């Protein structure tokens, strides 16, 4: 059993309720932080922990906190990002649904470290039932003196509210989220200025993922140095992985970083191997925005080293033979899945979710969706694959926010690693008429056709 | 964004005292002068109280309450996919159609549900009770295939479970809003 930091208490009956949470050591980190530590000490301890943002980009949390503008004297805010809309990712919901007070506890300590007196949790609108759970938990926290004026008699005031979105993936991007919280469309802002200088209502704001903030109580109680001992290299601590697709035991797992991918995929304690024992065809290790990989790069890196569940190991090989730990959305495909169909599906997603501000993203995602639709539906031409490659290569780096990149990378990786599947679709349209064409006749069985 | 406001649909606008009290509570979550921030939560609230859709009259009412321009409300209502700009079925089955659900049979299940109800995707049954729509990832990818109905997620769905759910809806036994 690996170390559990976030989910250690999640199975205690009644832990969603304040009393049970408190009886099990809840809110101790608030007592420690407010009574025994200064905001600077807290920032230092999070820096020492090496905790990297769990929203996908992996930016060091302590470093981000140290950028918040405290000199201007403007009000500061923590914004907890609970938008969780990256396909394959459902870990934040697990924490919020089953142990909501952990997030609230983390938000109080983090707000204190940032010297913020008004903070928000922004949750996606579809999680309305979780919104209501959080709202109730926040009320309990107020009623028990953990929020409001003069918390624990220390003179520190904090108001914390939960705010809901209304169906827009782009509102997970931090500046779009700020716009949305201001009651506007979720159009990302041009950076700089960064939110730490000018964020919500042009006031200094730090945006952090739910899982990042839920790690703060443990770090505060046990020290950053202790946290840094868990994990491997610059991937410290534990990570929540949400696993889906063709595996025996889908769900959310907390793992210590550094575990081999093989153990995670195949041991009974974790994913338990492939469903129906069918062969593994592909994996997306960190949510739909990261590169899809074929089997030869899943358990081993291109150098033949064991692939590990860590930021560095997944990135090994760059976009060519590596991928990214991203948000921890671990999507497993067996040989019945069609990579072309999956890529089309994801392009449709990005096209649907593009906010439309930049033309390479707005138009490019639409073109990619159209071409992929054509190929998947037996109307593709020989030039289409190169055309797709060309379009995706012109999106990356040319947009206001990273959604453009996120739309381009999966297409590039699918072509890079599964080009023969695209060719098969183009050359044998009569064989792919059924949406489940690989269910009866997986690529393995038809590959010889391509040689002719 | 192909989402547009169609003026021909009208509805009876009725902001009850209870709804108004909740609006006041929501606006109190934001600093003085920043009441526009409450717009998204308020739109959810009034939509829930008006058969799950927003007419122009209702949006204008929200603008008046929040002291913002109507256009500021329309801009937002057309951007976010959860706001319905015309009447919807009482039981709107929103299936996740994105990758993880798709590879676990979401589209086959949507086809099954459509043919069971005798509608195409997006259509409403003549009795106004049901519709089937595809939406993007709902954060339940490990519990695929799944659908959302009101506040609730129905996960690990099968044709049998769809049959039972439809039956329960018809008998009015299905919970819509969580507490
Ligand atoms: C298109 C897009 C969607 C995103 N969605 C999310 C999300 O749902 N949840 C999240 O925490 N971060 C998301 N992010 C990342 C945020 O912009 C931001 O980096 C993150 O919330 C910072 O928190 P962290 O440093 O704790 O990871 C998204 C980024 C982009 C570009
Ligand atoms: S990259 Fe796409 S989503 Fe991001 S700002 Fe530009 S158009 Fe909007
Ligand atoms: S892909 Fe269906 S819930 Fe995420």
């Amino acid at each position: 059993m690996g170390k559990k930091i976030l989910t250690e208490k999640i199975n205690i009956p009644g832990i969603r309720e304040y009393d049970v949470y408190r009886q099990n050591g809840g809110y101790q980190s608030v007592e420690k932080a407010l009574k025994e530590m200064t905001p600077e000490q807290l920032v230092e301890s999070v820096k020492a922990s090496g905790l990297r943002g769990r929203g996908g980009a992996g930016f060091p949390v302590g470093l981000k906190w140290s950028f918040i503008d405290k000199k201007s004297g403007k009000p500061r805010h923590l914004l907890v990002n609970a938008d969780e809309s990256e396909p394959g990712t459902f870990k934040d919901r697990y924490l919020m649904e089953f142990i909501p007070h952990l997030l609230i506890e983390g938000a109080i300590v983090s707000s204190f470290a940032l010297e913020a007196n008004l903070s928000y949790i922004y949750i996606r609108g579809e999680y309305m039932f979780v919104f209501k759970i959080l709202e109730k938990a926040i009320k309990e926290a107020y009623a028990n003196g953990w929020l409001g004026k003069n918390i624990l008699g220390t003179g520190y005031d904090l108001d914390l509210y939960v705010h809901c979105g209304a169906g827009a993936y782009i509102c997970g991007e931090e500046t779009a989220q700020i716009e949305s919280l201001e009651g506007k469309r979720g159009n990302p802002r041009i950076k700089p200025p960064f939110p730490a200088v000018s964020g919500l209502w042009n006031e200094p704001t730090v945006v952090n993922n739910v899982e990042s903030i839920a790690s703060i109580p443990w770090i505060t109680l046990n020290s950053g140095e202790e946290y840094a001992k868990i994990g491997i290299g610059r991937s410290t601590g534990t990570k929540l992985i949400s696993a889906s697709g063709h595996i025996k035991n889908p769900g959310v797992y907390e793992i210590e970083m550094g575990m081999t991918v093989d153990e995670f995929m195949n041991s009974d304690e974790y994913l338990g191997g492939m469903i129906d024992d069918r062969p593994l065809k592909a994996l997306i290790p960190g949510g739909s925005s990261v590169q899809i990989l074929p089997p030869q790069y899943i358990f081993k890196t291109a150098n033949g080293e064991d692939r590990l569940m860590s930021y560095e190991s997944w990135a090994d090989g760059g976009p060519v033979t590596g991928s990214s730990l991203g948000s921890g959305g671990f999507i497993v495909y067996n040989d019945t899945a069609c990579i072309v169909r999956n890529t089309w599906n994801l392009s449709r997603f990005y096209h649907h979710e593009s906010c439309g501000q930049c033309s390479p993203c707005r138009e490019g995602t639409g073109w990619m969706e159209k071409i992929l639709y054509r190929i998947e539906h037996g109307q593709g031409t020989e030039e289409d694959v190169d055309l797709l490659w060309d379009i995706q290569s012109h999106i990356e780096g040319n947009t206001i926010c990273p959604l453009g990149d996120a739309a381009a990378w999966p297409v590039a990786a699918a072509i890079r690693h599964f080009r023969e599947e695209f060719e098969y679709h183009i050359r044998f349209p009569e064989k792919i008429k059924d949406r489940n064409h690989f269910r009866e006749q997986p690529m393995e069985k038809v590959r010889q056709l391509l040689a002719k | 964004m192909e989402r547009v406001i169609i003026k021909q649909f009208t509805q009876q606008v009725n902001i009850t005292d209870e709804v108004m009290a909740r609006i006041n509570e929501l606006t109190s979550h934001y600093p003085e002068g920043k009441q526009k921030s409450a717009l998204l939560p308020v739109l959810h609230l009034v939509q829930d109280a008006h058969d799950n859709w927003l007419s122009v009259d209702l949006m204008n009412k929200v603008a008046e309450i929040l002291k913002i321009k109507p256009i500021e409300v329309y801009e937002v209502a057309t951007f976010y996919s959860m706001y319905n700009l015309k009447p919807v079925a009482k039981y709107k089955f929103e299936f996740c159609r994105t990758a993880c659900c798709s590879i676990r049979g979401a589209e086959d299940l949507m086809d099954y549900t459509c043919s069971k109800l005798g509608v195409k995707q997006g259509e409403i049954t003549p009795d106004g009770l049901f519709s089937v729509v595809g939406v993007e990832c709902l954060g339940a990818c490990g519990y695929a295939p799944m659908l959302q109905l009101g506040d609730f997620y129905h996960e690990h769905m099968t044709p049998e479970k769809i049959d039972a759910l439809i039956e329960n809806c018809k008998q009015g036994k299905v919970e819509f809003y969580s507490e």
Side-chain angles (χ1 to χ4, degrees):
Chain A
M1 288 287 280
K3 189 144 186 82
K4 303 267 186 282
I5 285 175
L6 299 161
T7 59
E8 191 190 0
K9 297 177 187 161
I10 209 161
N11 292 320
I12 296 174
I15 198 75
R16 193 186 277 168
E17 315 296 328
Y18 172 76
D19 290 338
V20 178
Y21 183 74
R22 177 71 179 144
Q23 280 151 21
N24 284 279
Y27 289 99
Q28 280 177 3
S29 73
V30 177
E31 290 180 303
K32 180 170 175 186
L34 268 57
K35 290 187 175 161
E36 299 167 25
M37 294 175 79
T38 63
E40 291 72 28
Q41 284 170 335
L42 279 165
V43 174
E44 284 312 312
S45 101
V46 175
K47 272 191 181 167
S49 75
L51 173 68
R52 293 168 66 174
R54 301 297 195 231
F59 191 81
V61 175
L63 193 59
K64 189 188 265 187
W65 287 10
S66 70
F67 295 151
I68 194 163
D69 168 20
K70 293 184 177 176
K71 291 204 195 78
S72 68
K74 288 187 191 167
R76 288 169 292 276
H77 312 282
L78 170 72
L79 176 51
V80 181
N81 189 341
D83 195 55
E84 189 159 72
S85 316
E86 168 97 349
T89 315
F90 48 101
K91 63 184 179 78
D92 297 338
R93 166 189 160 199
Y94 179 64
L95 285 182
M96 294 186 288
E97 188 175 349
F98 295 104
I99 187 161
H101 283 285
L102 178 65
L103 178 62
I104 295 165
E105 180 175 351
I108 298 169
V109 175
S110 306
S111 297
F112 178 69
L114 297 166
E115 297 177 63
N117 304 109
L118 176 59
S119 297
Y120 294 91
I121 299 169
Y122 182 108
I123 191 167
R124 64 181 300 184
E126 293 89 342
Y127 284 177
M128 197 52 86
F129 59 108
V130 187
F131 172 94
K132 291 174 184 174
I133 291 170
L134 284 175
E135 205 173 42
K136 180 160 173 269
I138 287 174
K139 284 214 173 97
E140 289 177 326
Y142 269 102
N144 288 281
W146 302 102
L147 284 169
K149 293 256 175 288
N150 193 17
I151 299 167
L152 301 177
T154 60
Y156 176 60
D157 303 338
L158 175 65
D159 282 313
L160 174 70
Y161 301 105
V162 52
H163 178 100
C164 60
Y169 167 65
I170 192 58
C171 292
E173 195 280 334
E174 54 186 15
T175 60
Q177 183 155 105
I178 288 168
E179 287 282 302
S180 182
L181 184 42
E182 292 182 1
K184 303 183 209 149
R185 294 180 152 228
N187 287 341
R189 296 176 180 172
I190 294 174
K191 297 189 240 185
F194 288 92
V197 175
S198 180
L200 181 59
W201 305 307
N202 297 324
E203 293 161 358
T205 306
V206 161
V207 184
N208 274 130
N209 173 259
V210 167
E211 186 187 345
S212 308
I213 296 301
S215 305
I216 300 300
W218 196 97
I219 293 172
T220 305
L221 286 174
N222 298 275
S223 85
E225 287 74 15
E226 279 304 306
Y227 188 86
K229 287 182 191 159
I230 307 163
I232 184 166
R234 288 179 53 240
S235 301
T236 59
T238 63
K239 175 87 191 82
L240 293 181
I241 306 290
S242 41
S244 63
H246 295 129
I247 34 155
K248 287 212 176 96
N249 312 320
V252 180
Y253 296 87
E254 181 172 11
I255 61 159
E256 192 171 329
M257 281 211 258
M259 174 185 291
T260 63
V261 174
D262 183 39
E263 180 182 356
F264 183 61
M265 280 272 284
N266 294 317
S267 72
D268 290 335
E269 195 183 328
Y270 297 98
L271 307 191
M274 302 296 291
I275 203 167
D276 302 330
D277 297 318
R278 294 200 71 106
L280 171 67
K281 179 179 198 171
L283 171 79
I284 298 181
S288 62
S289 303
V290 310
Q291 285 84 2
I292 191 168
L293 289 175
Q296 68 266 33
Y297 301 131
I298 293 174
F299 301 111
K300 298 276 179 195
T301 65
N303 305 329
E305 284 163 26
D306 277 344
R307 186 81 80 182
L308 308 179
M309 298 294 286
S310 74
Y311 290 101
E312 291 77 18
S313 186
W314 276 117
D316 188 324
V320 181
T321 62
S323 184
S324 169
L325 181 65
S327 64
F330 197 89
I331 315 171
V332 182
Y333 298 84
N334 70 16
D335 63 343
T336 66
C338 172
I339 300 300
V340 175
R341 189 173 184 82
N342 185 68
T343 312
W344 162 56
N345 184 300
L346 290 178
S347 284
R348 181 180 65 186
F349 172 82
Y350 289 108
H351 182 214
H352 185 260
E353 301 299 336
S354 166
C355 84
Q357 283 191 109
C358 340
S359 20
C361 170
R362 180 188 62 238
E363 304 301 327
T365 53
W367 294 334
M368 292 197 300
E369 183 198 344
K370 229 183 234 171
I371 298 168
L372 283 158
Y373 176 91
R374 188 152 89 202
I375 302 177
E376 166 64 9
H377 291 83
Q379 296 137 16
T381 64
E382 297 281 344
E383 298 81 53
D384 274 347
V385 184
D386 291 332
L387 184 57
L388 259 184
W389 183 269
D390 192 51
I391 295 170
Q392 70 78 23
S393 70
H394 286 98
I395 300 176
E396 190 186 341
N398 291 323
T399 55
I400 294 175
C401 92
L403 185 139
D405 303 346
W409 292 336
V411 174
I415 297 175
R416 189 178 281 124
H417 298 303
F418 297 93
R419 197 175 181 116
E420 62 172 14
E421 257 184 54
F422 289 82
E423 283 168 14
Y424 175 70
H425 279 69
I426 291 164
R427 286 179 53 198
F428 300 96
E430 71 286 357
K431 291 206 149 275
I432 50 152
K433 286 210 176 93
D434 180 347
R435 120 181 1 133
N436 299 313
H437 42 265
F438 283 150
R439 215 171 270 175
E440 295 302 317
Q441 282 200 312
M443 197 63 210
E444 284 305 313
K445 288 201 180 157
V446 295
R447 182 170 286 128
Q448 82 286 349
L449 289 176
L450 283 174
K452 289 190 191 135
Chain B
M1 289 271 147
E2 71 277 29
R3 294 164 51 80
V4 289
I5 298 170
I6 306 168
K7 287 217 172 113
Q8 83 196 61
F9 300 110
T10 54
Q11 82 192 148
Q12 190 69 40
V13 173
N14 180 19
I15 305 290
T16 61
D17 290 348
E18 197 188 336
V19 169
M20 199 57 220
R22 176 74 177 142
I23 292 177
N24 288 335
E25 186 192 339
L26 287 170
T27 45
S28 77
H29 294 174
Y30 309 92
E32 277 296 311
K34 308 281 195 253
Q35 77 284 353
K36 182 175 173 177
S37 279
L39 181 53
L40 271 70
V42 167
L43 284 176
H44 276 295
L45 179 69
V46 299
Q47 176 168 278
D48 287 353
H50 289 82
D51 299 323
N52 201 17
W53 72 284
L54 302 168
S55 62
V56 172
D57 289 342
L58 183 53
M59 288 189 276
N60 292 346
K61 183 77 191 169
V62 167
E64 185 191 313
I65 293 170
L66 294 180
K67 301 187 185 70
I68 56 180
K69 297 192 206 84
I71 181 76
E72 296 176 83
V73 181
Y74 308 157
E75 273 179 352
V76 161
T78 52
F79 184 84
Y80 296 91
S81 65
M82 291 181 77
Y83 299 127
N84 300 311
L85 303 173
K86 56 184 185 191
V88 292
K90 177 157 188 214
Y91 299 105
K92 187 174 171 213
F93 285 19
E94 297 181 295
F95 283 86
C96 168
R97 60 177 190 178
T98 315
C100 319
C101 288
S102 168
I103 61 167
R104 296 301 296 262
E107 286 133 320
D108 294 343
L109 198 62
M110 287 174 76
D111 284 354
Y112 174 83
T113 313
C114 282
S115 72
K116 170 108 191 166
L117 293 168
V119 288
K120 293 206 194 76
Q121 275 184 42
E123 283 175 3
I124 301 176
T125 52
D127 57 10
L129 278 186
F130 296 98
S131 70
V132 176
V133 296
V135 297
E136 302 298 344
C137 179
L138 289 169
C141 329
Y143 322 116
M146 60 82 61
L147 66 96
Q148 177 162 30
L149 183 56
D151 281 2
F152 291 99
Y153 281 15
H154 297 262
E155 299 171 332
H156 296 296
M157 292 307 280
T158 59
E160 295 72 39
K161 288 190 188 172
I162 292 283
D163 292 350
L165 185 61
I166 292 174
E167 202 43 50
N168 284 335
C169 287
K170 284 183 178 159
Q171 295 178 14
K173 285 199 270 184
V174 171
E175 285 294 319
F176 226 73
Y177 299 116
S178 61
E179 298 199 337

